[in-house]
Amino acid sequence: MTKEELIVRIHDLEWEDFEVKEAKSELPKSIWETVSAFSNTSGGWIVLGIKQIGKNFDIQGVDNIEKLEQDFLGTLRSQKFNMPLVAMPKRYDIGGKRILAFHIPSSPFKPIYYSNPRNSFIRMGSGDHHATDTEIMQMYHDQSFGIRSEMVVEGSDIKMLSQDSIRSYRDYLRSYDSLKDTEKLNKRDFCSRLNICNDKGELTYAGLLMFGKEPYTNRYVPTFCIDYIEVPGNSLADATTRYTYRIPEQSNIWDAFQIILRRLRNVVDTPFKLNKMGVAVNDMRQFEVIREAMLNFCMHSDQFSPIRSCIHVFNDRVEFINSGCFPKPVETIAGHFYSSLRNPTIAKLFRYTKMCENVGYGIDKLKTWKQLTGYDIVFENQRDMVCLTLPFKDIIDIQRTDVTQNVTQNVTQNVTINLTVRQKRILEILDADNNQTASEIAVMLSANIRTIRRDLASLQSKGILRRDGGSKTGHWVTLQK
C-alpha cells in the first residue's frame, strides 16, 4: 500500500480490509481481534497512529515506532495465537507524523484465535465480530476438507471403481489428445499416476468420489450427492409441477457430470455465426460459460457436508448451489490469478480433460456471461454455502412479445444463419406437419419439452414462426423458409 493509497483510504467511510487504531505509545488490546478477523477472512491492513472520531480521522502518529513494530511481530510469533502468524510491516510519514502499518494475510489454517477458540473473529463490513459456534465449526470443517479429499480410504482397492467410468474418462483424454504418457498404462498404474489411488492400490477419497461404484461411494461418503432438477417455472411456487426432470442417483461425480452437462447443453442457445472463411459454425460461448460453472461446481463441491450440492434449472435461470463459501470476496478473486481448491485431485482430473479454464481464471470466464446474454451473474456467498446464478431470458417473457412486430426486418438471411441445428430441425418438422405439439417435437428430437418450448418462443420472437389459433385447435405458420 503506497502513501497515496493510504491517504485515500483514510478518507473512505468504510472498509472491509482496512482498520485504523490510535496506538500512540503501546499496542491497543483490540488489535488482536482484528488480527484474528483478517486472518479468518480475506486479510487486510492494520494502521497504527490514526484516531477515528465518528466519520473523521485524526493523524496523530506513533511514538517509538521500532518498539511497536517489534512488540507486534514478536506477539504474532509467540504462543498468544493458536499458531505462529506473519505480517508485512510498512512505515509512512504523513505531515511529519510517523504511521506504522501491517498487512495481515488470510491464513490457510483457520480458525485463527488467541487464548481459546471462542476468541475467533471474522471481518464483516468495517468491523470485527465474534465468530459464532457455527462459523467456527465451518472453519474447522473447511480446514480439514481439502486434506480429507486427498486422504486414503482405508481398506479400499481399485475394484471399487466403476470400470465404465474409468473407460469413459480415458476415452475423453484420448479424444482431446491429453496425457499421452498414460495411454499405455494399465488400470492400476493409470490410477496411481493421477492420484486416484496410491502405490498400494488403495483409493483416495477424491478417486472414489470421482469414479467409485455402488455401494462403495455411499458406504465411505454417506453424504455424497449431486442433484439436478428442472423446474417448469421461475420459482417452486409458480411451477405447474414440482419438476419435469430430476437426475437419477449416480454413483460418482464423473457419471453425474456427463448426464448433467448433456442436460445443460439444451438450456442455452448455440446459434450459428460466420467464421473468417464465411462458413456457418456453432457459437458455443454461452455453453462454454455454463460448462465452466458446472466444472467449478464439481471441483469445489463439499461431498462431506450434509448440505446437498444441487443444480436448479428454472425458466429464467440456472442455480449452482454448493456448501462452504468462497475464501475471498468474488470481487477480490475476479481479475486476479487466484484459486483455493477444495479438491485438488478432482480439479486436476477435470483440467486434464481441457474442458475448463486454467487455474485461477474461472471467475473471469463466468463473468463473460454478461457480454453474451446481457445478464449479470449473481454470487451469494454465505458462511455455509454459495450459490451461483446464471440468468437468461424467461421463455414466458419471450412468448408475450408481439411476434408480428418487425417481421419484415427480421426476415433476413442473418436470421437463418443465427438458428441452432435444433431450431432448424423444428422448422423442418413443422413444414411437414404444422399441427405438431411441443411435446411431440420433444419426443422426435429426444429433447426436453421445456427446451423445445424455448426454441419455439425464440423462433416466434424472430418472426420466423407464428401460432394461429389456440394451443389445442391451432397450428403453426412458417413465415420464412
Side-chain angles (χ1 to χ4, degrees):
M1 181 171 59
T2 65
K3 178 178 177 180
E4 291 72 22
E5 291 171 337
L6 171 60
I7 293 174
V8 169
R9 284 180 173 243
I10 290 173
H11 291 89
D12 285 341
L13 296 179
E14 188 173 303
W15 330 266
E16 189 170 336
D17 61 347
F18 186 77
E19 177 78 13
V20 299
K21 297 185 182 294
E22 188 173 357
K24 185 67 176 177
S25 57
E26 62 182 18
L27 297 172
K29 294 181 179 179
S30 64
I31 196 171
W32 311 122
E33 297 177 3
T34 306
V35 170
S36 170
F38 283 156
S39 297
N40 288 329
T41 46
S42 305
W45 286 90
I46 297 176
V47 182
L48 305 181
I50 299 177
K51 182 179 181 179
Q52 182 174 358
I53 306 173
K55 294 183 178 180
N56 299 314
F57 300 91
D58 181 22
I59 300 176
Q60 298 182 336
V62 298
D63 298 331
N64 200 347
I65 195 169
E66 290 79 10
K67 181 179 182 302
L68 286 178
E69 181 177 307
Q70 291 176 7
D71 289 347
F72 183 81
L73 296 177
T75 302
L76 295 189
R77 290 193 291 268
S78 70
Q79 296 182 354
K80 183 177 184 67
F81 286 89
N82 56 315
M83 62 183 57
L85 302 175
V86 295
M88 181 184 72
K90 195 161 185 179
R91 302 180 183 184
Y92 303 90
D93 187 301
I94 301 178
K97 297 179 179 180
R98 305 179 76 184
I99 304 298
L100 178 61
F102 300 94
H103 182 262
I104 309 299
S106 176
S107 175
F109 307 103
K110 298 179 178 68
I112 296 298
Y113 58 85
Y114 58 91
S115 300
N116 65 76
R118 291 194 175 275
N119 286 327
S120 298
F121 289 79
I122 59 173
R123 190 73 174 176
M124 296 178 64
S126 58
D128 305 323
H129 300 263
H130 259 112
T132 65
D133 290 343
T134 300
E135 289 167 338
I136 293 173
M137 290 177 62
Q138 185 65 39
M139 282 189 275
Y140 275 120
H141 177 77
D142 287 345
Q143 171 58 32
S144 65
F145 180 78
I147 298 174
R148 185 173 181 183
S149 66
E150 303 303 298
M151 290 175 61
V152 169
V153 182
E154 296 295 335
S156 64
D157 59 61
I158 60 174
K159 293 180 181 179
M160 297 178 180
L161 298 177
S162 166
Q163 300 289 334
D164 292 337
S165 300
I166 291 290
R167 186 183 304 110
S168 168
Y169 180 77
R170 298 190 73 168
D171 288 343
Y172 212 104
L173 293 181
R174 280 190 287 268
S175 66
Y176 282 86
D177 201 26
S178 181
L179 295 182
K180 288 185 177 181
D181 61 315
T182 66
E183 288 185 3
K184 296 182 180 181
L185 295 180
N186 61 35
K187 179 182 176 181
R188 177 164 173 168
D189 289 342
F190 173 82
C191 291
S192 177
R193 163 77 166 76
L194 274 61
N195 199 38
I196 298 168
C197 71
N198 61 14
D199 293 338
K200 299 178 182 179
E202 298 172 306
L203 301 181
T204 62
Y205 275 99
L208 178 66
L209 287 168
M210 192 70 171
F211 303 114
K213 65 180 179 182
E214 288 287 2
Y216 305 109
T217 309
N218 285 307
R219 176 187 300 176
Y220 291 99
V221 190
T223 50
F224 170 71
C225 177
I226 294 184
D227 206 0
Y228 173 90
I229 303 174
E230 294 176 358
V231 181
N234 292 349
S235 68
L236 292 174
D238 66 15
T240 55
T241 60
R242 287 188 63 190
Y243 55 83
T244 55
Y245 175 81
R246 187 170 192 171
I247 185 175
E249 187 172 334
Q250 300 300 306
S251 59
N252 59 58
I253 293 174
W254 179 253
D255 289 352
F257 171 78
Q258 297 293 317
I259 295 173
I260 294 173
L261 194 63
R262 286 195 292 269
R263 304 294 301 190
L264 291 175
R265 175 67 176 78
N266 293 323
V267 169
V268 295
D269 287 331
T270 52
F272 283 103
K273 65 177 181 179
L274 295 178
N275 62 17
K276 295 180 180 180
M277 302 298 294
V279 178
V281 296
N282 279 330
D283 184 352
M284 301 295 291
R285 290 177 296 172
Q286 286 188 34
F287 174 67
E288 289 170 357
V289 174
I290 209 166
R291 184 179 63 187
E292 183 72 27
M294 179 64 192
L295 287 162
N296 275 275
F297 172 84
C298 291
M299 291 189 292
H300 293 277
S301 63
D302 182 351
Q303 295 299 336
F304 299 98
S305 169
I307 298 177
R308 297 166 67 90
S309 297
C310 55
I311 301 171
H312 296 154
V313 180
F314 294 93
N315 281 351
D316 62 348
R317 67 192 184 280
V318 183
E319 296 177 347
F320 297 85
I321 302 172
N322 260 336
S323 64
C325 62
F326 286 111
K328 288 173 171 278
V330 176
E331 296 74 16
T332 303
I333 299 174
H336 297 80
F337 183 83
Y338 182 87
S339 181
S340 180
L341 299 174
R342 286 182 180 273
N343 304 280
T345 293
I346 292 176
K348 288 180 181 179
L349 289 169
F350 274 115
R351 290 198 174 98
Y352 289 147
T353 66
K354 300 184 179 180
M355 286 188 288
C356 54
E357 289 292 301
N358 292 330
V359 59
Y361 290 107
I363 296 295
D364 297 314
K365 179 71 173 182
L366 295 175
K367 283 184 171 291
T368 63
W369 187 254
K370 170 74 171 181
Q371 304 168 11
L372 300 173
T373 67
Y375 293 92
D376 287 310
I377 58 173
V378 180
F379 289 99
E380 298 177 51
N381 192 24
Q382 303 177 19
R383 292 298 302 174
D384 58 351
M385 64 170 289
V386 61
C387 177
L388 164 65
T389 301
L390 298 179
F392 43 71
K393 187 67 175 178
D394 183 354
I395 62 172
I396 303 301
D397 288 342
I398 295 174
Q399 291 171 340
R400 289 172 179 165
T401 60
D402 182 3
V403 297
T404 62
Q405 184 178 9
N406 296 327
V407 169
T408 304
Q409 297 177 9
N410 287 331
V411 182
T412 63
Q413 181 67 24
N414 288 333
V415 170
T416 302
I417 292 176
N418 287 329
L419 298 183
T420 66
V421 173
R422 188 177 58 248
Q423 289 170 343
K424 288 188 174 184
R425 288 284 294 118
I426 291 173
L427 290 177
E428 292 173 359
I429 292 171
L430 294 179
D431 280 342
D433 182 358
N434 64 358
N435 289 313
Q436 296 283 357
T437 65
S439 59
E440 291 171 337
I441 297 172
V443 172
M444 297 171 69
L445 297 181
S446 299
N448 188 289
I449 187 172
R450 177 181 170 280
T451 301
I452 298 302
R453 286 173 178 165
R454 185 191 298 278
D455 282 334
L456 290 170
S458 178
L459 292 170
Q460 290 178 80
S461 68
K462 293 175 180 177
I464 300 174
L465 198 63
R466 186 180 75 231
R467 180 72 181 181
D468 285 354
S471 59
K472 293 184 178 180
T473 60
H475 62 277
W476 296 100
V477 177
T478 303
L479 302 175
Q480 180 192 353
K481 301 295 184 181

